Amino acid sequence: MAPAAFDAEAGGPAIVPAAGNGTHKPAPGADADAGAAFVLESKGTYPHRARLSRNDPAVIRSYSAVSHPSAAGTWWHAGFHLTTAIVGPTVLTLPYALRGMGWALGLTALSLVAAVTFYEYSLMSRVLDHCEARGRRHIRFRELAADVLGSGWMFYFVVIVQTTINTGVSIGSILLAADCIEIMYSSLAPNGPLKLYHFIIIVAVVLAFLSQLPSFHSLRHINFASLLLCLGYTILVSAACIRAGLSKDAPAKDYSLSSSKSEQTFNAFLSISILASVFGNGILPEIQATLAPPAAGKMMKALVLCYSVIGFTFYVASISGYWAFGSQVQSNVLKSLMPDSGPSLAPTWLLGTAVLFVLLQLLAIGLVYSQVAYEIMEKNSADVTRGKFSRRNLVPRLLLRTLYLAFCAFMAAMLPFFGDIVGVVGAVGFIPLDFVLPVIMYNIALAPPRRSPMYIANTAIMVLFVGVGAIGAFASIRKLVLDAGQFKLFSNNVVD
């Protein structure tokens, strides 16, 4: 079994009898779970309230911070969080993913990855419900994996992979948001003095301000706006692609694949890695933690909401973009609409509005994917017996979150070719967390019969995506090496 500390972290401060006097007090190290109380606002403490001593106000304060009814998340709030975590500007890379496979294989792969990820996320939610029904409510991915798989090393594996993904997405969000501002700035002042790093600093300052929203749940309104924004720019960009495809200035439509079989294979696996990145999120347990227990059934509604948005945005963007530009489509279809030479293939107001929508949603994505880092930091820096807005907790929160975003901004300025790493992140990050671990945990936790169709299907998915992840990582790293000559530290341009 996993170390007991994992269970102690999962449901809030552990309460144990104090020796001698029969009263209760927080267990040693209970204040280390302030990350759950403040950032994730875990609602899993109701079963313990009967055991609290009414004579211990510090403990009562620590529990009221996480169990106040007004802070309870609903299924549609979870749906907003999921949509922001999955449906982002990476949707504009889908035409490029189709380019590597062609119409038939590309749309088939898109549909299969959508179906598999919905299935995997529903399995993970069922595993969380299964553990909760047995008194082990897990609100962090790392604790769930360690408990179900019975291995302490799995705890650290998930921490490393999840932190890498989340930090990488935060860096990418800052870089792409700054690139959006630069696009708008250069169209208004072509010879202006501001450089990319100036815009990176501006984005980081805005995120540092917004990051002081103390909890994941407090982002629900921002994430609802994010949902509307992704619908908005998908419609605008798709309309622009259709207009461009019908224009006399559009490139000749060529949907042929590379003549080299090996190149076709590498491109196909690179495309699958991109799809894995686009559909991945790696934070479903943390999102489900925002729901008041029992969460059974609520997460399925949230997934249906999220995948309804996915069904519209992903297919409309991928089909319209690939139809308009074919094998000439760039890794971000917006760049195809704004070629380096010649006029833009869509009205300036339309492209400007789409870029603005993308910019605003990138801020929401940066906030969502920073929550895991904030939870890890505040788990060790905050005092759960004090209010979340007390000076004792406010000062470390302000300092640590600002330093984290300063680090992400520095990396974004130093490595302005982050878009080329998307495939690598998908292969070595999202595939293990979102495609492999959920089916393994389901087979172990709920133990379907070994000859049952579900067990066989789960095993087949695991084997398939382990192979896809390995080959996709190789293909992605290969492309990174081939493009290395374009990379320049602290460049003023984002390498495509």
Side-chain angles (χ1 to χ4, degrees), residues 12 24 62 68 71 74 91 158 202 228 258 272 333 348 395 417 449 456 472:
H24 296 76
S62 72
H68 195 281
T74 60
V91 70
V158 173
I202 292 171
L228 298 178
S258 172
I272 293 173
V333 74
T348 302
V395 172
F417 45 84
I456 294 172

Side-chain angles (χ1 to χ4, degrees), residues 143-154:
E143 295 161 2
L144 174 68
D147 180 21
V148 173
L149 300 180
S151 173
W153 71 265
M154 183 56 66

Side-chain angles (χ1 to χ4, degrees), residues 272-357:
I272 293 173
S273 296
I274 292 173
L275 292 178
S277 297
V278 172
F279 278 95
N281 73 80
I283 54 174
L284 186 138
E286 286 80 2
I287 291 175
Q288 186 159 325
T290 65
L291 293 168
K298 298 176 185 176
M299 203 62 185
M300 282 302 298
K301 293 180 181 179
L303 281 167
V304 169
L305 171 61
C306 175
Y307 272 75
S308 297
V309 178
I310 285 174
F312 175 79
T313 56
F314 283 28
Y315 283 93
V316 170
S318 58
I319 292 173
S320 62
Y322 187 51
W323 170 81
F325 300 103
S327 59
Q328 301 301 312
V329 70
Q330 298 189 49
S331 61
N332 184 331
V333 74
L334 269 176
K335 293 184 179 294
S336 296
L337 291 167
M338 297 183 290
D340 294 333
S341 60
S344 294
L345 299 177
T348 302
W349 69 264
L350 188 152
L351 293 175
T353 304
V355 170
L356 177 61
F357 285 2

